[in-house]
Amino acid sequence: MPNFVKILFGSCLGTILALVLLVLVSISVIGGLAATGQEKPTVQANSILTLDIEGLAELTGNTDEEDFATMLSGQEKLGLHDAIRAIRRATRDDDIKGIFLNDQVTGVPFTMLRSLRQAIADFRAEGKFVVAYSPYYTQSAYYLGSVADEIYVGPLGVIDFRGLGADIPFLKNALDQAGIKFEIFYAGDYKSATEPLRRTSISPENREQTKEFLEDLFGEMLTDISLSRNVDTASLRRAASNMTGWRDQEAVDAGLIDGIRHRTEIDRLLHEKVGFKDDEKLQTIELGRYFAARLEKLKGGDDEIAVLIAEGGIVDGAGGLGSIGDKKYVNEIEKLAEDDDVKAVVLRVNSGGGSASSSENIWYALEQLKQTGKPVVVSMGDYAASGGYYIAAAADSIYAEPTTITGSIGVFLTFPIIRELMEDKIGINFDTVNTAANATAFSPFREMGKDEKQLLTQRTQSIYNTFLSRVADGRNIPVERVREIAGGRVYSGIRAKEIGLIDHLGGLGAAIASAARLAGMTDEDEYQVANYPKLKPAWEIFLEELLGESDDNEVVSKVLKSQLGAESYEHFQLLRDLTRTQQPQARLPLVVKF
């Protein structure tokens, strides 16, 4: 009886403490939101805009990395397109005198960073200053910083500029030792997503395609830096190969940077730029606060161009933040089809693919949308590959950046067999009793039979043929020609245009203008733009997690990402998705190191 009382008391106390915590958090959230509603950031005269570029998403708030303080402030982490809008607004804002790039860049892929860099280049072209400083430059931070009028590194710092590469981990030896093997079915000689499970090194086909598109991306990078730094591309390529950025004064002599400075020297430089005395306080404003002070989210209205942003892996069901759940996106597309104010739709794709069946569902919803007479234009971001290309294929017109990674038209299916692990390593045996010949088919506890393998081979090939026909119909290309350029091969946006997988090289703005023209509107004043999907506020998502209403997998993923770091988590995510899926997949096969 005493133990029962102790347990009961402990349970009650735990419940009471949880309720108190929930009340306190709720009060904090409500108080933070109330304060936000009353206090709008102000922009002082002679201000300097600062950028914190970490974990950038396409759509504002579409990330699971919002910290508690940011959530309470009511300011969501800006997405790429709102960040670009803010920089463009600052370009014509007399209160903003310049931009100071003083933070590292993490978790931002190349094409996103290139779009942001171009906005800063346009800002600089209007006669406003851009200064970059960091104690240490990662390659991505250097690429962004190189757009500045002046770029400096701290004493003892380095510029880690050494070219692009792809890291591909291979698991086959580890799996063999553990007694685990995968039955693998794939269509396309270049469909290399399953190589980590069936090989110990990169195949010749995969090495060929990876080298090709990395060279295309690196060429664009060298050209961009060359134009900003006034250093020829051949010299920059040598500097990357020799890792000149690690050699102090040699980096200055090679034109990679303008000098090596202490932070106090940079502070004096910024004072000079805005005409302040050394003892006067600099007026700086972070990009997110500047957006809150000067802009609002695009809300659309009459004669609307709807921009549906699809970023992340393509998954079954609703999906979470930063993923493309077919249930959610089909619903969004159907609502856009029924909305009389929406005159055209731009599908912004930034996805390496995922579930083949979910890709088909989204493709079908877009086909139905087109039946209403509304134009559909696709804008590709960093990735629109495999399933990402599948959902793009239905568009009336496709735009991609030169550095977009696309194609990968192929399908694969993996099935784990753990018989050796269970029987030889652990000592657990299985036996069967069947009421039909294949009642216990597709069991992971025994070797797969000939009939099972034949069935899955046929299924994989059937899905691949469907994929080819979707591309052929959408692009108006004969199926045999699609088969020639498909095979799972990955292309840069430059190559994709040459072979007809896309129509134009250009960014989101060009795609929006194209959609408007197709809808009969040629002047920007004739239409308004809105971004979709509409996301829940960060505080509401946080409360759902606190109350246990969100997907447990999302919470676990968030913890893993925070512990592993963005780059390592990408590798983990790729391998996790490869090893745990038993449904056909249309997915990009690698992580690009930038």
Side-chain angles (χ1 to χ4, degrees), residues 417-433:
I417 304 294
I418 58 173
R419 182 201 60 78
E420 183 181 342
L421 170 66
M422 300 302 288
E423 293 184 8
D424 299 345
K425 309 290 185 181
I426 301 177
I428 299 175
N429 298 330
F430 290 82
D431 204 347
T432 62
V433 177

Side-chain angles (χ1 to χ4, degrees), residues 53-58 80 105-117 140 143-144 164 217 221 311 348 350 381-383 403 405 566 570 591-594:
I53 310 300
E54 182 179 1
L56 195 65
E58 292 266 350
L80 170 67
V105 177
T106 56
V108 184
F110 182 36
T111 300
M112 266 192 182
L113 205 58
R114 190 167 185 263
S115 299
L116 197 67
R117 189 182 187 279
S140 53
Y143 174 65
L144 183 66
L164 299 182
L217 269 60
M221 179 193 231
E311 59 181 324
R348 172 69 173 189
N350 196 353
D382 276 276
Y383 306 100
T403 52
I405 297 174
E570 281 188 278
V591 174
V592 176
K593 187 174 178 61
F594 169 55

